[in-house]
Amino acid sequence: MIHLLLKLILAHILGDFLLQPEKWVKDKEEKKHRSPYLYIHTLVHGLALCIVLQFDHKYWAGFFTILISHLAIDLIKLNLQNKSNTRRLFFLDQAAHLLIIALVVNSYEPFTLGLDSILSPFILLLTTAILTATVVSSVLMRVIITKWDLEEDRTEDSLENAGKYIGILERLFVFGFIVMNQWQAIGFLLAAKSIFRFGDLSKSKDRKLTEYILIGTLTSFGLAILTGMGYLYMLQLIKN
């Protein structure tokens, strides 16, 4: 099952990403179903499928299912797409393609995914830890940091919600490093962030902004470290 799944995912990556130039994408977005590149892209995707499946005749039903559904999903996406939903439709488009692949794999090599496996202690613990490191920690950070309201840290040049997403990503990295027992990597991450924030610190006329940034950074890293250590501790309890 895994072997077939990997083959189909590889074909999808080759067809949808590696072998699809930006020129094709723009032309499809402009002309939609009238774009010749839409059908060329479908043929390229079909060729990638044939190669990874080694032209095995037993997979022809799955081949045509993936190919026709791929064209249909792309057409739906192109006709629904506008400036406000581009990112959302991209992820929905990819999720739909992967769902079709999973269904095709299941038709050839049935697999079961019951609630017992989804709600296993290991999955529940990992899910809880990731949500704690991202969503819960973001709320805690907001509650702690909003005690101080600095004009220096509010700028129209800043990307919307950039600080929130940077914090989430850095905590995920720290959590991952702890799980992999790569504590030294946390030091490199902290040093890298300090270098990028050096410009903000050097422009500050007093130490308020410096203290504000340090409190935020250390709090964020501290929450991620606590989450990672808590995850490892609970993991040992589950294993024992």
Side-chain angles (χ1 to χ4, degrees):
M1 184 268 290
I2 295 296
H3 193 199
L4 178 59
L5 179 63
L6 290 176
K7 283 183 176 182
L8 297 181
I9 290 177
L10 175 60
H12 176 72
I13 292 173
L14 291 173
D16 238 22
F17 296 94
L18 185 62
L19 301 177
Q20 182 174 209
E22 187 65 26
K23 175 184 176 181
W24 294 11
V25 176
K26 291 181 178 179
D27 192 78
K28 289 192 301 179
E29 290 175 348
E30 291 176 3
K31 300 178 182 178
K32 298 180 171 49
H33 65 277
R34 296 188 301 274
S35 171
Y37 292 116
L38 173 63
Y39 307 100
I40 295 174
H41 165 66
T42 305
L43 291 176
V44 170
H45 198 82
L47 180 60
L49 280 170
C50 286
I51 292 173
V52 298
L53 294 175
Q54 299 175 294
F55 298 90
D56 193 335
H57 63 87
K58 74 176 182 179
Y59 293 121
W60 283 120
F63 168 84
F64 284 111
T65 299
I66 292 175
L67 202 62
I68 295 171
S69 66
H70 192 97
L71 177 60
I73 292 169
D74 281 1
L75 279 171
I76 293 171
K77 174 194 171 187
L78 290 171
N79 283 280
L80 293 177
Q81 186 169 292
N82 54 53
K83 290 184 179 180
S84 64
N85 64 10
T86 301
R87 288 187 300 273
R88 190 183 311 115
L89 281 180
F90 170 80
F91 290 110
L92 289 174
D93 170 80
Q94 293 302 314
H97 291 316
L98 293 176
L99 177 60
I100 296 296
I101 289 174
L103 292 174
V104 168
V105 172
N106 184 66
S107 68
Y108 285 101
E109 301 175 17
F111 57 89
T112 56
L113 193 62
L115 283 178
D116 290 340
S117 58
I118 296 175
L119 298 178
S120 67
F122 296 101
I123 298 297
L124 289 175
L125 176 60
L126 180 60
T127 303
T128 302
I130 290 176
L131 289 176
T132 301
T134 55
V135 180
V136 177
S137 293
S138 291
V139 175
L140 291 175
M141 289 286 299
R142 186 167 65 248
V143 172
I144 295 171
I145 295 299
T146 49
K147 177 181 179 181
W148 301 281
D149 188 17
L150 298 184
E151 293 183 359
E152 295 94 328
D153 200 48
R154 291 181 298 172
T155 172
E156 295 179 354
D157 295 330
S158 177
L159 297 174
E160 184 180 359
N161 292 324
K164 173 184 175 181
Y165 295 128
I166 290 171
I168 288 174
L169 288 173
E170 76 182 19
R171 288 191 295 275
L172 282 175
F173 275 117
V174 172
F175 175 77
F177 291 147
I178 292 173
V179 171
M180 294 184 292
N181 196 30
Q182 297 294 322
W183 288 85
Q184 65 274 18
I186 299 176
F188 286 113
L189 181 62
L190 183 58
K193 183 177 181 181
S194 301
I195 292 171
F196 280 115
R197 295 306 302 257
F198 179 76
D200 294 333
L201 299 178
S202 62
K203 293 176 184 177
S204 178
K205 296 181 180 179
D206 52 44
R207 62 184 183 185
K208 287 184 179 179
L209 182 59
T210 303
E211 293 170 341
Y212 180 79
I213 292 174
L214 285 175
I215 290 172
T217 298
L218 294 176
T219 303
S220 180
F221 274 69
L223 289 171
I225 291 172
L226 286 174
T227 303
M229 293 179 66
Y231 169 80
L232 293 177
Y233 175 74
M234 294 297 294
L235 188 61
Q236 288 299 320
L237 292 180
I238 292 174
K239 289 181 178 179
N240 295 333

